[in-house]
Amino acid sequence: DAGITQSPRHKVTETGTPVTLRCHQTENHRYMYWYRQDPGHGLRLIHYSYGVKDTDKGEVSDGYSVSRSKTEDFLLTLESATSSQTSVYFCATTPRDQYNEQFFGPGTRLTVL
Amino acid sequence: GQQVMQIPQYQHVQEGEDFTTYCNSSTTLSNIQWYKQRPGGHPVFLIQLVKSGEVKKQKRLTFQFGEAKKNSSLHITATQTTDVGTYFCAGRGDSGGYQKVTFGTGTKLQVIP
């Protein structure tokens, strides 16, 4: 695997609280992505980054924000968690060229009560 | 926006039988990637197809990209219990600039020994 870690791996939180998930990579990959995975929906892109401080929205970005202050770290923040954001969150990276494959982290299972 | 549909959603086969999953895009793709996710794991890249009509093989796995670059298939010959998992296709658009990858909903394969 491409040296991608996610923290925390599991989290239970309450509705209305802010939550930050961290993705850390050691491969100096340019592109980083946040996906959520839900039964019947596959993997849906939340936000992605194409460089430090360069980010853009994916298809399900409402209620989420991201930041990338260093090449190796990509943070996903749920500003005010809702039960509909209960999901498994995956971080992924791609090296220099956008056409390369994506390498996925181990995932974070988030439960919002 | 671009949509990628994948069928079937589930497939149970006896060990030794063949398996095929199909991926269809609403728009022309520049490339298509295939990933495998084992139960409880993260998606792992299998292969990328770029050319119209391209066929690639990996041991018992055969991947095809349609002539119109809007559909693809993954065929597994003589399934084994190690093939269990969910198979995702992921298509990238073809309209210039940075194109996000859209994942199919996945086909969950169960192999009965």
Side-chain angles (χ1 to χ4, degrees), chain A residues 8 12 18 22-23 26 32 34 37 39 42 45 48 54 70 76-77 82 84 90-91 96 99:
Chain A
V12 180
R22 180 183 184 231
C23 177
T26 58
M32 298 186 76
W34 275 108
Q37 184 173 39
L45 182 65
Y48 68 100
D54 292 323
K70 298 185 291 185
L76 176 70
T77 297
T82 67
S84 65
F90 286 101
C91 172
R96 305 171 306 280
Y99 294 99

Short mmCIF file of all heavy atoms in Angstrom, two decimals, chain A residues 8 12 18 22-23 26 32 34 37 39 42 45 48 54 70 76-77 82 84 90-91 96 99:
data_model
loop_
_atom_site.label_atom_id
_atom_site.label_comp_id
_atom_site.label_asym_id
_atom_site.label_seq_id
_atom_site.Cartn_x
_atom_site.Cartn_y
_atom_site.Cartn_z
N PRO A 8 -9.32 9.26 13.18
CA PRO A 8 -9.31 7.97 13.84
C PRO A 8 -9.81 6.87 12.91
O PRO A 8 -10.31 7.16 11.82
CB PRO A 8 -10.27 8.18 15.01
CG PRO A 8 -11.27 9.17 14.47
CD PRO A 8 -10.48 10.10 13.59
N VAL A 12 -17.49 7.51 17.27
CA VAL A 12 -18.90 7.68 17.55
C VAL A 12 -19.08 9.08 18.11
O VAL A 12 -18.36 9.47 19.04
CB VAL A 12 -19.41 6.63 18.56
CG1 VAL A 12 -20.90 6.86 18.83
CG2 VAL A 12 -19.16 5.22 18.05
N PRO A 18 -18.90 19.04 15.86
CA PRO A 18 -17.96 19.04 14.74
C PRO A 18 -17.03 17.84 14.83
O PRO A 18 -16.69 17.38 15.93
CB PRO A 18 -17.19 20.35 14.93
CG PRO A 18 -17.28 20.62 16.39
CD PRO A 18 -18.57 20.04 16.88
N ARG A 22 -8.62 12.78 9.64
CA ARG A 22 -7.31 13.11 9.08
C ARG A 22 -6.83 12.01 8.15
O ARG A 22 -6.97 10.81 8.45
CB ARG A 22 -6.29 13.29 10.19
CG ARG A 22 -4.88 13.64 9.70
CD ARG A 22 -3.92 13.73 10.85
NE ARG A 22 -2.59 14.17 10.42
CZ ARG A 22 -1.47 13.51 10.74
NH1 ARG A 22 -1.54 12.41 11.47
NH2 ARG A 22 -0.30 13.97 10.33
N CYS A 23 -6.26 12.43 7.04
CA CYS A 23 -5.61 11.51 6.12
C CYS A 23 -4.16 11.95 6.00
O CYS A 23 -3.88 13.12 5.74
CB CYS A 23 -6.28 11.56 4.76
SG CYS A 23 -5.49 10.52 3.50
N THR A 26 2.60 9.37 2.96
CA THR A 26 4.06 9.52 3.00
C THR A 26 4.67 9.42 1.61
O THR A 26 5.90 9.34 1.48
CB THR A 26 4.68 8.46 3.92
OG1 THR A 26 4.32 7.16 3.43
CG2 THR A 26 4.19 8.62 5.34
N MET A 32 -5.26 14.20 -3.64
CA MET A 32 -5.86 13.50 -2.50
C MET A 32 -7.37 13.66 -2.57
O MET A 32 -7.88 14.69 -3.05
CB MET A 32 -5.32 14.04 -1.17
CG MET A 32 -3.80 13.83 -1.01
SD MET A 32 -3.17 14.30 0.61
CE MET A 32 -3.73 12.92 1.63
N TRP A 34 -11.37 12.58 -0.67
CA TRP A 34 -12.19 12.01 0.39
C TRP A 34 -13.45 11.44 -0.24
O TRP A 34 -14.14 12.13 -1.01
CB TRP A 34 -12.58 13.07 1.42
CG TRP A 34 -11.55 13.29 2.48
CD1 TRP A 34 -10.73 14.38 2.63
CD2 TRP A 34 -11.24 12.42 3.56
NE1 TRP A 34 -9.93 14.22 3.72
CE2 TRP A 34 -10.22 13.02 4.32
CE3 TRP A 34 -11.72 11.16 3.97
CZ2 TRP A 34 -9.66 12.45 5.46
CZ3 TRP A 34 -11.17 10.58 5.09
CH2 TRP A 34 -10.16 11.22 5.82
N GLN A 37 -18.56 5.87 1.71
CA GLN A 37 -19.08 4.63 1.16
C GLN A 37 -20.30 4.20 1.95
O GLN A 37 -20.23 4.00 3.17
CB GLN A 37 -18.03 3.51 1.18
CG GLN A 37 -18.52 2.23 0.52
CD GLN A 37 -17.44 1.19 0.38
OE1 GLN A 37 -16.60 1.01 1.26
NE2 GLN A 37 -17.43 0.49 -0.75
N PRO A 39 -23.96 1.60 1.69
CA PRO A 39 -24.57 0.47 0.96
C PRO A 39 -25.46 0.97 -0.18
O PRO A 39 -26.27 1.88 0.00
CB PRO A 39 -25.39 -0.23 2.04
CG PRO A 39 -24.72 0.12 3.32
CD PRO A 39 -24.21 1.52 3.14
N GLY A 42 -22.05 2.81 -3.49
CA GLY A 42 -20.65 2.72 -3.88
C GLY A 42 -19.82 3.79 -3.18
O GLY A 42 -20.10 4.17 -2.04
N LEU A 45 -17.58 10.81 -4.14
CA LEU A 45 -16.54 11.81 -3.87
C LEU A 45 -17.10 12.99 -3.10
O LEU A 45 -18.09 13.61 -3.50
CB LEU A 45 -15.94 12.28 -5.20
CG LEU A 45 -14.80 13.28 -5.12
CD1 LEU A 45 -13.57 12.65 -4.46
CD2 LEU A 45 -14.44 13.80 -6.51
N TYR A 48 -11.87 16.91 -3.16
CA TYR A 48 -10.55 16.46 -3.57
C TYR A 48 -9.59 17.64 -3.57
O TYR A 48 -10.00 18.81 -3.51
CB TYR A 48 -10.57 15.78 -4.94
CG TYR A 48 -10.87 16.70 -6.10
CD1 TYR A 48 -9.85 17.19 -6.91
CD2 TYR A 48 -12.18 17.05 -6.41
CE1 TYR A 48 -10.12 18.02 -7.98
CE2 TYR A 48 -12.46 17.88 -7.48
CZ TYR A 48 -11.45 18.36 -8.27
OH TYR A 48 -11.72 19.18 -9.33
N ASP A 54 -5.13 23.81 -2.60
CA ASP A 54 -5.98 23.73 -3.78
C ASP A 54 -6.97 22.60 -3.61
O ASP A 54 -6.59 21.42 -3.65
CB ASP A 54 -5.14 23.48 -5.03
CG ASP A 54 -4.27 24.66 -5.38
OD1 ASP A 54 -4.73 25.81 -5.19
OD2 ASP A 54 -3.13 24.44 -5.83
N LYS A 70 -0.46 21.02 4.04
CA LYS A 70 0.79 20.34 3.70
C LYS A 70 0.50 19.25 2.70
O LYS A 70 -0.62 18.71 2.66
CB LYS A 70 1.41 19.71 4.96
CG LYS A 70 1.79 20.69 6.04
CD LYS A 70 2.51 20.00 7.19
CE LYS A 70 1.57 19.11 7.98
NZ LYS A 70 2.25 18.54 9.17
N LEU A 76 -10.67 16.34 6.64
CA LEU A 76 -12.09 16.44 6.31
C LEU A 76 -12.84 16.82 7.58
O LEU A 76 -12.71 16.13 8.60
CB LEU A 76 -12.62 15.10 5.80
CG LEU A 76 -14.13 15.02 5.51
CD1 LEU A 76 -14.48 15.86 4.28
CD2 LEU A 76 -14.59 13.58 5.31
N THR A 77 -13.61 17.89 7.52
CA THR A 77 -14.36 18.35 8.69
C THR A 77 -15.85 18.31 8.42
O THR A 77 -16.32 18.81 7.39
CB THR A 77 -13.94 19.79 9.08
OG1 THR A 77 -12.56 19.79 9.45
CG2 THR A 77 -14.77 20.29 10.25
N THR A 82 -24.48 15.15 11.30
CA THR A 82 -25.87 14.69 11.28
C THR A 82 -25.88 13.17 11.10
O THR A 82 -24.90 12.58 10.63
CB THR A 82 -26.66 15.32 10.13
OG1 THR A 82 -26.13 14.84 8.89
CG2 THR A 82 -26.56 16.84 10.16
N SER A 84 -27.22 11.44 8.93
CA SER A 84 -27.06 11.05 7.52
C SER A 84 -25.59 10.99 7.11
O SER A 84 -25.27 10.50 6.02
CB SER A 84 -27.79 12.03 6.61
OG SER A 84 -27.21 13.32 6.71
N PHE A 90 -13.30 7.05 3.23
CA PHE A 90 -12.01 6.64 2.69
C PHE A 90 -11.28 7.84 2.12
O PHE A 90 -11.85 8.66 1.41
CB PHE A 90 -12.18 5.60 1.58
CG PHE A 90 -12.56 4.24 2.06
CD1 PHE A 90 -13.87 3.80 1.99
CD2 PHE A 90 -11.59 3.39 2.57
CE1 PHE A 90 -14.22 2.53 2.43
CE2 PHE A 90 -11.93 2.11 3.02
CZ PHE A 90 -13.25 1.69 2.95
N CYS A 91 -10.01 7.88 2.42
CA CYS A 91 -9.10 8.82 1.79
C CYS A 91 -8.38 8.07 0.67
O CYS A 91 -8.12 6.86 0.79
CB CYS A 91 -8.10 9.33 2.83
SG CYS A 91 -6.77 10.32 2.16
N ARG A 96 1.55 12.01 -9.45
CA ARG A 96 1.65 13.20 -10.28
C ARG A 96 0.52 13.38 -11.28
O ARG A 96 -0.07 14.45 -11.41
CB ARG A 96 2.97 13.20 -11.06
CG ARG A 96 4.22 13.05 -10.23
CD ARG A 96 5.40 12.84 -11.14
NE ARG A 96 5.20 11.74 -12.07
CZ ARG A 96 5.35 10.46 -11.76
NH1 ARG A 96 5.67 10.12 -10.55
NH2 ARG A 96 5.16 9.54 -12.67
N TYR A 99 -4.31 10.69 -14.18
CA TYR A 99 -4.79 9.47 -14.80
C TYR A 99 -4.24 8.21 -14.14
O TYR A 99 -4.56 7.11 -14.54
CB TYR A 99 -4.43 9.46 -16.30
CG TYR A 99 -5.16 10.55 -17.04
CD1 TYR A 99 -4.53 11.75 -17.34
CD2 TYR A 99 -6.50 10.39 -17.40
CE1 TYR A 99 -5.21 12.76 -17.99
CE2 TYR A 99 -7.18 11.40 -18.06
CZ TYR A 99 -6.54 12.58 -18.35
OH TYR A 99 -7.20 13.58 -18.99
#
